[in-house]
Amino acid sequence: MLVERIMTSPVRTLTPEHTIEDALNMMSTYSFRHIPIIDDAENLVGIVSDRDIKLTLPSVLSDDDPDFTLKVPISRIMRKRVTYCHPLDFVEEIALDFYHYAIGAIPVLRNGRIVGIITQKDMLNTYLELTGITEPGSIIEVDIEDRTGVIYDIGKVFKDLNIKIVSISVYRNKEKKGYKTIVLRVQAMNPRKAIDTLKDRGFTVLEPSQMGQ
């Protein structure tokens, strides 16, 4: 899946000269948590999050003047080293950036200009879409030997039963070398016939769980 499919566009931005108060007002008005910062040439120069602002604001128990703090330019607190991506990058690849760098949002650049932004919420929504969890159906987990053609063999079981497979996820079996766990979401409210057929054909069904949504 390409980044351009799930990114938020257009993107609301600020410049380094805007204040923390400007950022707070924008976040409150539009209900988001990250603002890319661009210069006069529309080049990305930083990003600020609600967490950055919270760390900057004085405590309610402090004697500091909160009004003074809010007037500070956003350039004082923005993060200048920004992880970014391209609209034609794959979502699966930038997921690693979210994982490794523990970041909340990634701006999307094309020809040096910001054209979108992807957040952790976008990634979660994408994951839910890929797993098919939003569609009615059931989940079946199968322990399989990691060999060529095994997906075809499992798919044939469901084809013969005329049961639609909504999504397939494959995970490494940490306990058995050379094996993987396949998680199938199928369009069947009662998967018992499919489970019995899988077992009859030599497959090990692990944790069937009906999802009557």
Side-chain angles (χ1 to χ4, degrees), residues 24 27 32-35 48-55:
L24 275 174
M27 289 179 180
F32 49 60
R33 300 171 54 191
H34 299 83
I35 303 175
V48 66
S49 69
D50 59 344
R51 184 173 184 272
D52 297 326
I53 295 176
K54 289 174 183 177
L55 291 174

Side-chain angles (χ1 to χ4, degrees), residues 13-24:
T13 61
L14 292 176
T15 65
E17 292 74 29
H18 280 98
T19 66
I20 294 177
E21 184 176 29
D22 293 327
L24 275 174

Side-chain angles (χ1 to χ4, degrees), residues 16 35-38 43-49 52 73-84 107 109:
I35 303 175
I37 310 301
I38 61 173
N43 295 310
L44 181 69
V45 295
I47 191 169
V48 66
S49 69
D52 297 326
I74 208 74
S75 59
R76 292 275 299 275
I77 68 168
M78 71 181 187
R79 284 172 284 140
K80 298 179 180 179
R81 296 184 62 180
V82 185
T83 299
Y84 59 88
L109 304 186

Side-chain angles (χ1 to χ4, degrees), residues 132-200:
I133 199 70
T134 57
E135 296 188 33
S138 303
I139 291 177
I140 300 174
E141 293 191 2
V142 185
D143 185 39
I144 56 102
E145 184 180 2
D146 188 9
R147 61 174 175 81
T148 302
V150 67
I151 300 294
Y152 171 83
D153 293 339
I154 290 178
K156 191 173 186 307
V157 171
F158 290 92
K159 182 179 183 302
D160 293 344
L161 294 173
N162 197 30
I163 296 176
K164 178 183 177 182
I165 298 176
V166 177
S167 68
I168 300 177
S169 303
V170 183
Y171 302 93
R172 179 170 59 90
N173 189 324
K174 297 179 180 179
E175 299 177 355
K176 296 174 64 176
K177 186 177 180 180
Y179 280 76
K180 290 187 176 180
T181 299
I182 292 185
V183 181
L184 303 141
R185 186 167 183 85
V186 299
Q187 206 169 66
M189 300 310 294
N190 185 353
R192 176 50 54 190
K193 187 174 182 179
I195 292 171
D196 291 340
T197 303
L198 285 168
K199 291 179 178 179
D200 289 342

Side-chain angles (χ1 to χ4, degrees), residues 3 6-8 11-12 27 32-37 44 46-52 79 81-85 94-99 101-109 114 116-124:
V3 164
I6 71 168
M7 69 184 187
T8 298
V11 187
R12 297 189 180 275
M27 289 179 180
F32 49 60
R33 300 171 54 191
H34 299 83
I35 303 175
I37 310 301
L44 181 69
I47 191 169
V48 66
S49 69
D50 59 344
R51 184 173 184 272
D52 297 326
R79 284 172 284 140
R81 296 184 62 180
V82 185
T83 299
Y84 59 88
C85 64
I94 69 165
L96 291 175
D97 291 331
F98 280 98
Y99 176 76
Y101 304 120
I103 51 183
I106 298 180
V108 185
L109 304 186
I114 184 165
I117 190 169
I118 289 186
T119 67
Q120 288 181 338
K121 182 179 179 180
D122 296 324
M123 296 300 293
L124 176 60

